């Protein structure tokens, strides 16, 4: 009796163990399957080519911000690549294990990202995601402008337009760092545009924004 | 025995002194008679017939009356009698004509006092016993009050008295001589009658009349007088009034009348006086009118805002004058002249403040702040002050005594203190000192060291440690050369004599080293030195600074004229080439010497284009050096001096591009200093908001320069990027130190 019960329990536990792997593998089976559709066969990672294919499956342009959001959900480390772990993380969180479910999950994802706390995390993620080299701390102005439009374009269109215009017209700053990146988001949230009435350059705003405000006010005249 | 003693003691006990019960009745008739005696006495006293009276009898009469309870009668009789007399006196005074009015009054007053004295003496018993108990006014006071009421306040006298007194004052003010003694007696009389009498009957109207008098007079003066004369008049009037008080007014009137004069003559016209065209404060300052200024100072000191008015006008004048001085392009062409001008201005105004303004500290501060303001308007002030010092230390102070040297250096230090950008001064001073030391052109070592000590006292050890290093290097080099020649004399033989100054990098101003090709003879001896030096100092690296050296060359010109030329190293390299060729093109020289173009052009210019120093001849004979020029040894060179100096290593005002470069280097040097300050502050405070950091950094660095808040912000951002600091997650105005 004991034995059987032991066995049962052990088999049960074994079953549980294998069951969990089984369940796990069952859980991720579809997800992994989907992964393999796009992954490179030799490296077992989805590379930029694979992402392009993924995008066309999703019927989304590969420059679309939703891909970035997807990367964020996956907590993807390297721009242009998705590992299996990352894929699993993302899709599990989205509760999607097929292309159709994934497509349907996208609007939900967009809504989720728009929530203020999540957006802040997404916004800083977007910057880090662009740091391609090890120890790189800044992104070049051109890329920064593109990223700003992509990420903040809908929410703070006018500010983004003016700021990118400024960035392209000046030559003092050739790159942007994280501090400046985050500063701009705070700027959009706290300073009314285009009046800029409570902006005080004696406070701790990054210098690049002081210069932007000055440029903006000059051009207004 | 007992009974006897008992009765004796009893008797003693029973013995007592009884009150005088015996009523001494004074019948009313007797009282009336006694009063009549006294009344008569009073009349006699008032009629100056007192000598016939018997004091003792009168005293006893009064005493008796009081004793017998006739005090009331006595007192009221006194009042009536005195009043009657006073009314007579009043009429007598009223009838006096013109000038005699006061005299009469004075005379009668004296009489009254005498009479009062006698009457009081006679009635002393009443004064002491009846008066207090019945709460009546004592005799003397009564006499004064009655005088006041019946004479002074008599309708025909009161106004006339006031008018007479004021009229006399007016006449005296307009130049007449009046009877001061009489005046004094009258005013004293009023004071004796009570200070309110004095004030109401005389002082208040006196002050009012004086006010309108001085108001009118000051208006008149100010239309026709210049400032200095006006002030003289005002001072005179003020002294007059004080003298008037001391002679015939009550002492307490002094402060009241002087404040009237001060208000009417000074306070009401302050602005107009100070700003008067051609004679106001500014003109006085320009013309060093010490007396006028001193007078203005002491007069204005008496009125509210007086000194601050002078100070404000002086300050704005100084600032404007200073601004004009430091932006005058003509004057800026000669830096030494420019600084001398500033020193002269300082001296001039120091003297004014000490002579005329009583060394007033607030004025000294105003002077300092004005200088600080305009000196910093010109961003070349630091450079120019250093050039001035350079000129003085190189030749200006030649032959001066130690005290004279100290005086000059101290005065320059005063200007130095006003500089906001002391680090710029440090940079230039280092450059100029280096040139002085290396060319051996300093008037006195003591003077140089004295200057360093002063800078150290002012700015701390850090400021001067490198400068001191330069002096040390010079001394060490001397010793090294002696040793070199001692050890190497055999090997060196007949080669050129070398004098090397070994400069520790870091102490001396950094110059980009442009190597050039040295003539072979020089190269040999230089290499010998290098070997010797590195032998005793392994691990060091020597780099020849060919742009800073000098050379003495013996040259023979046409007709055998020999001269000794003192030249720079570059010039030597160029000249030595002409030992093997009579003529060379620019390019040939450039190729042979490898001297950088700008320096080479300057060098050739000094050798070929300067009258009296043209050891080379240039074709074409134009003023400027072009790359197509050809140079020839000038056989025809002559000079009345055997030794000719052609070197170009003197400190001079920087050209515009050089200035930009220096400023850039200064700005670069400031960045780490600002960062160090930020880190120091954040390390101790841990968390701090932006404005506080800016304020703290400014405070920490103010002895060296005034940091730009924008630059501070940039440094903070750089430190954030390098993860020394971070922004606080909750409050983005705060920064946090990252250990």
């Amino acid at each position: 009796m004991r034995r059987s019960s032991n066995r049962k329990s052990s088999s049960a536990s074994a079953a549980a163990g294998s069951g969990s792997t089984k369940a796990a593998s069952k859980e991720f089976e579809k997800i992994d399957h989907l992964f393999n559709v796009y992954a490179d066969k030799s490296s077992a990672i989805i590379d930029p080519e694979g992402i392009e294919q993924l995008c066309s499956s999703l019927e989304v342009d590969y420059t679309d911000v939703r891909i970035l959001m997807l990367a964020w959900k996956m907590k993807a480390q390297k721009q242009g690549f998705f590992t299996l772990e990352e894929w699993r993380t993302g899709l599990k969180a989205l509760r999607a294990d097929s292309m159709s479910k994934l497509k349907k999950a996208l609007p939900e994802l967009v809504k989720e990202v728009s929530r203020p706390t999540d957006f802040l995390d997404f916004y800083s993620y977007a910057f880090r995601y662009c740091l391609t080299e090890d120890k790189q701390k800044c992104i070049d102005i051109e890329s920064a402008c593109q990223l700003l439009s992509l990420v903040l374009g809908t929410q703070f269109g006018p500010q983004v337009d003016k700021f990118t215009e400024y960035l392209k017209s000046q030559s003092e700053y050739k790159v942007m760092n994280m501090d400046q990146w985050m500063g701009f988001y705070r700027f959009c949230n706290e300073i009314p545009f285009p009046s800029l009435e409570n902006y005080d350059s004696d406070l701790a705003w990054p210098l690049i924004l002081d210069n932007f405000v000055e440029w903006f006010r000059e051009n207004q005249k | 025995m007992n009974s006897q003693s008992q009765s004796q003691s009893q008797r003693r006990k029973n013995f007592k002194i009884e009150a005088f019960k015996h009523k001494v009745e004074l019948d009313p008739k007797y009282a009336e008679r006694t009063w009549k005696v006294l009344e008569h006495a009073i009349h006699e006293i008032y009629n100056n017939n007192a000598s016939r009276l018997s004091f003792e009898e009168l005293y006893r009469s009064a005493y008796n009356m009081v004793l017998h309870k006739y005090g009331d009668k006595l007192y009221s009789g006194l009042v009536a009698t005195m009043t009657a007399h006073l009314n007579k006196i009043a009429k007598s005074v009223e009838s006096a004509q013109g000038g005699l009015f006061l005299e009469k009054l004075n005379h009668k007053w004296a009489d009254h006092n005498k009479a009062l004295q006698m009457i009081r003496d006679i009635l002393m018993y009443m004064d002491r016993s009846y008066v207090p108990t019945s709460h009546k006014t004592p005799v003397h006071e009564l006499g004064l009050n009655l005088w006041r009421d019946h004479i002074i306040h008599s309708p025909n006298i009161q106004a006339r008295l006031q008018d007479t007194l004021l009229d006399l004052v007016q006449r005296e003010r307009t130049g007449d001589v009046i009877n001061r003694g009489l005046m004094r007696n009258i005013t004293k009389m009023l004071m004796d009658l009570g200070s309110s009498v004095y004030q109401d009957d005389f002082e208040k109207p006196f002050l009012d009349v004086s006010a309108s008098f001085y108001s009118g007079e000051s208006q008149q003066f100010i239309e026709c007088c210049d400032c200095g004369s006006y002030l003289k008049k005002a001072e005179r009037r003020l002294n007059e009034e004080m003298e008037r008080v001391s002679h015939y007014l009550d002492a307490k009137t002094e402060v009241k009348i002087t404040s009237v004069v001060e208000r009417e003559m000074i306070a009401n016209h302050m602005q107009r006086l100070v700003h008067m065209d051609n004679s106001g404060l500014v003109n006085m300052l320009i013309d060093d009118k010490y007396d006028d200024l001193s007078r203005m100072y002491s007069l204005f000191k008496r009125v509210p805002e007086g000194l601050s008015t002078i100070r404000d006008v002086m300050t704005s004048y100084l600032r404007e004058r200073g601004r004009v001085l430091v932006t005058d392009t003509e004057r800026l062409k000669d830096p030494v002249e420019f600084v001398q001008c500033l020193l002269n201005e300082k001296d001039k105004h120091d003297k004014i403040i000490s002579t005329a303004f009583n060394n007033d500290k607030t004025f000294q501060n105003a002077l300092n702040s004005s200088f600080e303001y305009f000196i910093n308007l010109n961003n070349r002030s630091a450079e120019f002050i250093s050039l001035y010092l350079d000129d003085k230390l190189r030749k200006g102070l030649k032959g001066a005594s130690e005290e004279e040297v100290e005086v000059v250096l101290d005065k320059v230090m005063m200007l130095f203190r006003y500089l906001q950008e002391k680090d710029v001064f440090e940079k230039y001073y280092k450059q100029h000192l280096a040139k002085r030391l290396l060319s051996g052109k300093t008037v006195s070592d003591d003077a140089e060291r004295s200057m360093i000590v002063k800078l150290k006292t002012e700015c701390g050890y850090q400021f001067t440690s490198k400068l001191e290093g330069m002096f040390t290097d010079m001394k060490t080099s001397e010793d090294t050369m002696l040793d070199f020649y001692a050890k190497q004399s055999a090997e060196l033989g007949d080669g050129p004599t070398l004098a090397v100054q070994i400069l520790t990098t870091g102490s001396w101003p950094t110059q980009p080293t442009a190597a050039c090709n040295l003539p072979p003879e020089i190269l040999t001896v230089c290499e010998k030195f290098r070997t010797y030096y590195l032998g005793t100092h392994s691990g060091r690296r020597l780099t020849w600074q060919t742009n800073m050296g000098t050379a003495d060359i013996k040259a023979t010109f046409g007709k055998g004229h020999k001269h000794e030329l003192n030249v720079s190293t570059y010039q030597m390299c160029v000249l030595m080439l002409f030992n093997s060729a009579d003529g060379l093109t620019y390019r040939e020289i450039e190729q042979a010497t490898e001297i950088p173009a700008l320096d080479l052009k300057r060098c050739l210019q000094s050798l070929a284009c300067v009258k009296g120093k043209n050891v080379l001849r240039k074709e074409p004979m134009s003023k400027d050096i072009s790359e197509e020029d050809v140079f020839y040894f000038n056989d025809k060179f002559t000079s009345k001096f055997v030794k000719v100096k052609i070197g170009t290593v003197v400190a001079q005002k920087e050209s515009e591009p050089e200035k930009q470069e220096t400023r850039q280097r200064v700005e670069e040097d400031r960045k780490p200093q600002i960062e160090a300050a930020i880190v120091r502050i954040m390390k101790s405070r841990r968390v701090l908001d932006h404005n506080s950091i800016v304020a703290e950094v400014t405070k920490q660095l103010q002895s060296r320069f005034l940091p730009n808040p924008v630059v501070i912000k940039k440094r903070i951002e750089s430190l954030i990027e390098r993860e020394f600091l971070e922004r606080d997650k909750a409050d983005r105005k705060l920064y946090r130190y990252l250990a």
Side-chain angles (χ1 to χ4, degrees):
Chain A
M1 275 309 262
R2 252 196 312 155
R3 249 199 184 185
S4 61
S5 68
N6 267 354
R7 234 195 296 129
K8 256 200 199 151
S9 58
S10 64
S11 70
S13 60
S18 64
S20 67
T21 45
K22 256 202 199 150
S25 53
K26 193 150 193 230
E27 186 191 350
F28 285 127
E29 195 185 307
K30 284 182 142 186
I31 291 176
D32 289 1
H33 179 74
L34 199 56
F35 181 77
N36 288 324
V37 170
Y38 302 99
D40 178 84
K41 302 293 172 251
S42 46
S43 60
I45 295 182
I46 302 183
D47 63 7
E49 235 184 75
I51 293 186
E52 245 190 272
Q53 288 178 347
L54 174 65
C55 289
S56 54
S57 303
L58 285 171
E59 288 168 6
V60 162
D61 192 71
Y62 81 89
T63 54
D64 195 297
V65 68
R66 285 172 284 181
I67 294 298
L68 188 56
M69 292 180 182
L70 192 58
W72 170 72
K73 205 66 184 161
M74 292 186 200
K75 301 199 203 309
Q77 292 301 306
K78 201 161 169 205
Q79 190 183 49
F81 295 89
F82 294 148
T83 66
L84 180 60
E85 269 312 304
E86 292 165 354
W87 181 262
R88 280 179 174 180
T89 310
L91 267 71
K92 178 170 179 199
L94 289 172
R95 282 194 276 265
D97 55 11
S98 68
M99 189 41 66
S100 56
K101 279 194 198 156
L102 191 54
K103 263 196 233 178
K104 284 205 190 103
L106 282 185
E108 273 305 312
L109 178 59
V110 173
K111 246 195 244 167
E112 184 192 338
V113 167
S114 315
R115 284 199 292 272
T117 34
D118 284 317
F119 188 81
L120 188 64
D121 192 56
F122 171 67
Y123 181 78
S124 71
Y125 172 82
F127 184 88
R128 284 194 305 267
Y129 194 62
C130 291
L131 300 173
T132 45
E133 307 299 319
D134 250 2
K135 300 206 179 167
Q136 185 185 357
K137 291 211 177 118
C138 308
I139 48 179
D140 66 279
I141 288 295
E142 192 59 46
S143 308
C145 289
Q146 285 176 357
L147 195 61
L148 277 174
S149 306
L150 190 67
V151 161
L152 286 181
T154 31
Q155 213 177 75
F156 295 111
Q159 288 96 317
V160 171
D161 284 340
K162 273 297 171 194
F163 190 48
T164 47
E165 190 188 324
Y166 162 70
L167 288 174
K168 287 183 185 160
S169 72
Q170 58 81 40
S171 51
E172 195 187 335
Y173 292 97
K174 307 226 172 9
V175 293
M176 186 184 281
N177 62 29
M178 176 62 101
D179 183 52
Q180 292 159 327
W181 175 259
M182 297 309 289
F184 182 66
Y185 179 63
R186 196 180 138 222
F187 175 83
C188 289
N189 277 309
E190 292 179 22
I191 305 292
F193 194 84
S195 64
L196 303 180
E197 51 192 33
N198 56 342
Y199 186 85
D200 184 357
S201 59
D202 286 335
L203 291 180
W205 293 104
L207 207 51
I208 196 174
L209 290 175
D210 291 343
N211 295 349
F212 165 60
V213 168
E214 203 184 306
W215 170 90
F216 181 76
R217 283 179 175 152
E218 272 301 307
N219 279 5
Q220 290 250 308
K221 292 187 194 152
Chain B
M1 279 317 254
N2 265 346
S3 57
Q4 227 185 358
S5 57
Q6 252 188 357
S7 64
Q8 265 184 345
S9 59
Q10 262 189 334
R11 248 187 283 135
R12 248 183 250 131
K13 270 187 191 162
N14 286 332
F15 179 60
K16 50 184 177 182
I17 299 180
E18 288 185 355
F20 187 64
K21 287 190 185 131
H22 174 80
K23 269 191 181 156
V24 178
E25 294 269 326
L26 202 65
D27 68 80
K29 283 208 194 107
Y30 183 66
E32 184 59 35
R33 252 186 292 134
T34 317
W35 165 243
K36 281 289 177 229
V37 168
L38 287 165
E39 190 186 25
H40 175 254
I42 293 175
H43 283 311
E44 290 297 86
I45 288 172
Y46 269 107
N47 294 335
N48 291 314
N49 269 338
S51 49
R52 291 201 282 131
L53 300 170
S54 157
F55 172 76
E56 200 202 320
E57 191 194 313
L58 293 167
Y59 182 87
R60 213 175 341 115
S61 303
Y63 171 83
N64 278 334
M65 277 196 81
V66 174
L67 200 60
H68 294 281
K69 309 267 185 266
Y70 284 103
D72 286 338
K73 184 178 172 62
L74 179 57
Y75 193 87
S76 47
L78 170 67
V79 173
T81 316
M82 230 191 245
T83 305
H85 271 284
L86 287 176
N87 285 332
K88 256 202 289 184
I89 292 173
K91 290 219 164 39
S92 160
V93 168
E94 282 166 24
S95 68
Q97 298 285 6
L100 296 172
F101 171 74
L102 272 190
E103 282 202 38
K104 194 97 190 243
L105 181 61
N106 181 40
H107 184 67
K108 291 295 179 193
W109 165 252
D111 284 352
H112 174 72
N113 272 308
K114 245 193 292 179
L116 196 53
Q117 175 95 327
M118 281 190 245
I119 294 170
R120 208 258 329 252
D121 286 346
I122 291 170
L123 302 180
M124 184 143 344
Y125 186 73
M126 181 189 77
D127 228 8
R128 288 206 183 137
S129 51
Y130 167 76
V131 161
T133 47
S134 21
H135 306 293
K136 296 263 198 274
T137 318
V139 174
H140 183 82
E141 199 183 321
L142 172 70
L144 293 181
N145 290 351
L146 288 176
W147 177 272
R148 176 194 65 204
D149 296 337
H150 295 277
I151 309 287
I152 301 302
H153 288 169
S154 139
N156 292 333
I157 293 182
Q158 186 171 32
R160 186 172 170 193
L161 174 61
Q162 193 180 103
D163 291 343
T164 310
L165 291 175
L166 294 180
D167 179 63
L168 283 170
V169 170
Q170 172 69 14
R171 281 209 258 138
E172 196 180 40
R173 280 179 179 154
T174 50
D176 287 355
V177 174
I178 63 171
N179 186 340
R180 285 181 154 187
L182 180 58
M183 289 291 282
R184 184 161 21 95
N185 288 346
I186 300 291
T187 53
K188 190 159 184 315
M189 169 188 79
L190 293 174
M191 277 303 286
D192 287 346
L193 294 175
S195 59
S196 60
V197 177
Y198 174 78
Q199 278 169 17
D200 295 338
D201 282 281
F202 172 72
E203 200 187 50
K204 280 206 193 83
F206 166 71
L207 292 173
D208 289 339
V209 153
S210 306
S212 47
F213 173 77
Y214 282 118
S215 166
E217 188 172 82
S218 66
Q219 200 55 49
Q220 199 192 347
F221 282 168
I222 205 143
E223 295 296 334
C224 67
C225 296
D226 64 73
C227 183
S229 319
Y230 180 94
L231 290 175
K232 277 205 187 86
K233 287 197 209 284
E235 190 182 56
R236 196 160 10 106
R237 280 302 190 197
L238 204 57
N239 289 337
E240 240 178 62
E241 292 301 327
M242 289 197 275
E243 204 216 10
R244 174 164 298 117
V245 170
S246 72
H247 275 107
Y248 58 81
L249 300 180
D250 181 65
K252 289 205 197 70
T253 307
E254 180 173 316
V255 69
K256 296 179 197 174
I257 184 62
T258 50
S259 72
V260 165
V261 179
E262 286 158 10
R263 189 185 64 236
E264 295 298 330
M265 294 206 88
I266 302 171
N268 288 353
H269 299 282
M270 249 189 343
Q271 289 296 328
R272 192 165 165 183
L273 284 168
V274 152
H275 287 118
M276 211 177 254
D277 279 332
N278 298 329
S279 65
L281 175 65
V282 172
N283 299 85
M284 289 183 192
L285 289 173
I286 293 176
D287 296 332
D288 292 323
K289 293 256 195 282
Y290 298 121
D291 278 341
D292 286 343
L293 287 167
S294 178
R295 185 168 301 116
M296 185 186 266
Y297 181 83
S298 54
L299 286 176
F300 277 50
K301 194 166 179 190
R302 291 163 163 273
V303 301
E305 312 278 316
L307 289 188
S308 63
T309 305
I310 300 181
R311 215 174 26 240
D312 290 343
V313 173
M314 183 184 89
T315 304
S316 51
Y317 157 71
L318 278 175
R319 286 189 177 210
E320 184 49 33
R321 170 140 180 78
R323 194 190 62 81
V324 164
L325 265 177
V326 305
T327 47
D328 178 355
T329 39
E330 270 307 305
R331 212 182 284 276
L332 290 174
K333 288 190 180 157
D334 183 350
V336 178
E337 211 19 66
F338 170 78
V339 175
Q340 189 60 53
C341 210
L342 293 177
L343 289 170
N344 293 347
E345 279 300 307
K346 181 89 192 1
D347 276 345
K348 177 193 164 88
H349 290 101
D350 276 341
K351 186 153 182 221
I352 289 178
I353 292 178
S354 66
T355 319
F357 293 158
N358 200 28
N359 258 324
D360 189 318
K361 199 108 210 302
T362 58
F363 281 78
Q364 195 60 49
N365 291 346
L367 178 66
N368 286 342
S369 81
S370 305
F371 264 77
E372 196 177 319
Y373 163 76
F374 65 72
I375 277 189
N376 290 303
L377 286 180
N378 184 337
N379 65 0
R380 296 195 85 163
S381 293
E383 185 194 348
F384 286 3
I385 294 178
S386 180
L387 282 170
Y388 178 85
L389 276 171
D390 180 76
D391 180 81
K392 289 282 172 258
L393 289 167
R394 241 181 335 106
K395 48 179 163 73
L397 286 172
K398 193 167 188 156
S401 71
E402 212 179 290
E403 290 99 44
E404 288 169 344
V405 168
E406 284 297 299
V407 166
V408 170
L409 294 184
D410 282 335
K411 286 198 175 153
V412 178
M413 279 308 288
M414 285 253 39
L415 289 185
F416 170 78
R417 269 181 214 113
Y418 297 134
L419 283 174
Q420 246 165 23
E421 301 195 300
K422 293 188 172 67
D423 58 344
V424 174
F425 173 87
E426 187 193 354
K427 220 175 203 41
Y428 283 110
Y429 191 76
K430 225 203 242 187
Q431 278 178 25
H432 301 155
L433 175 65
K435 287 198 177 125
R436 283 202 298 280
L437 287 175
L438 292 176
S439 59
K441 288 261 181 309
T442 176
V443 140
S444 116
D445 237 14
D446 286 338
E448 295 278 358
R449 288 199 181 274
S450 175
M451 190 64 206
I452 305 275
V453 168
K454 289 184 203 298
L455 287 171
K456 182 149 75 170
T457 316
E458 188 66 29
C459 303
Y461 164 73
Q462 253 191 333
F463 197 91
T464 53
S465 61
K466 295 210 177 113
L467 301 174
E468 286 176 348
M470 287 159 77
F471 279 93
T472 316
D473 280 350
M474 296 299 291
K475 186 76 183 45
T476 315
S477 302
E478 258 180 56
D479 295 338
T480 309
M481 287 321 294
L482 285 174
D483 192 56
F484 174 65
Y485 272 102
K487 295 213 171 85
Q488 306 271 326
S489 51
E491 286 189 40
L492 292 167
D494 277 333
T497 322
L498 191 65
V500 182
Q501 283 133 345
I502 301 126
L503 317 177
T504 315
T505 335
S507 294
W508 295 75
T510 45
Q511 304 264 10
T513 52
C516 73
N517 290 340
L518 297 168
E521 316 83 314
I522 307 295
L523 210 55
T524 322
V525 69
C526 285
E527 277 313 305
K528 287 211 174 94
F529 181 81
R530 181 196 290 275
T531 320
Y532 154 79
Y533 187 82
L534 293 176
T536 41
H537 300 93
S538 63
R540 289 195 186 175
R541 201 158 48 122
L542 286 180
T543 321
W544 293 109
Q545 303 279 305
T546 48
N547 54 348
M548 288 163 97
T550 57
D552 289 320
I553 316 181
K554 288 207 178 81
T556 313
F557 296 89
K559 298 193 189 146
H561 287 144
K562 289 197 174 102
H563 289 283
E564 197 177 291
L565 308 174
N566 174 259
V567 295
S568 70
T569 306
Y570 284 159
Q571 287 164 339
M572 169 195 71
C573 296
V574 169
L575 289 175
M576 295 301 277
L577 293 174
F578 288 88
N579 273 346
S580 31
D582 275 331
L584 292 163
T585 64
Y586 174 88
R587 293 197 201 281
E588 285 172 327
I589 298 176
E590 191 181 30
Q591 207 167 24
T593 59
E594 288 188 13
I595 296 174
L598 190 61
D599 294 311
L600 183 56
K601 287 197 176 128
R602 224 192 291 169
C603 173
L604 287 168
Q605 194 152 35
S606 60
L607 289 170
C609 308
V610 179
K611 206 166 130 185
K613 316 245 167 126
N614 49 336
V615 291
L616 291 182
R617 195 167 39 89
K618 183 172 83 83
E619 270 169 25
M621 294 263 276
S622 53
K623 248 197 311 186
D624 297 315
I625 310 290
S626 99
E627 304 194 358
E628 317 301 322
D629 291 346
V630 187
F631 295 86
Y632 299 92
F633 180 71
N634 185 8
D635 220 34
K636 295 201 180 57
F637 172 78
T638 53
S639 167
K640 53 180 173 170
F641 301 110
V642 172
K643 292 193 178 172
V644 183
K645 187 169 146 47
I646 318 186
T648 51
V649 207
V650 174
Q652 40 187 244
K653 192 172 75 157
E654 282 190 327
S655 63
E656 197 54 41
E658 285 174 324
K659 187 182 87 150
Q660 298 288 9
E661 211 197 299
T662 308
R663 173 133 304 258
Q664 220 170 341
R665 266 188 268 144
V666 168
E667 291 297 335
E668 280 303 313
D669 284 346
R670 285 179 181 177
K671 285 184 187 166
Q673 291 177 64
I674 295 178
E675 287 193 356
I678 296 172
V679 171
R680 251 199 314 273
I681 292 165
M682 289 307 292
K683 198 164 178 182
S684 79
R685 306 283 281 268
R686 295 279 142 182
V687 180
L688 201 56
D689 69 283
H690 184 83
N691 284 341
S692 300
I693 295 189
V694 173
E696 281 294 319
V697 168
T698 308
K699 201 162 76 163
Q700 275 202 20
L701 293 173
Q702 74 183 32
S703 61
R704 284 188 61 79
F705 62 90
L706 195 65
N708 183 337
V710 171
V711 174
I712 296 178
K713 203 187 229 194
K714 227 181 179 157
R715 293 293 104 217
I716 293 176
E717 282 182 22
S718 170
L719 288 169
I720 291 176
E721 212 176 305
R722 285 180 278 150
E723 293 176 17
F724 283 91
L725 303 176
E726 64 173 4
R727 291 187 200 269
D728 185 87
K729 306 243 181 336
D731 183 355
R732 304 282 282 181
K733 285 196 292 295
L734 295 178
Y735 299 102
R736 215 171 258 286
Y737 180 71
L738 292 172

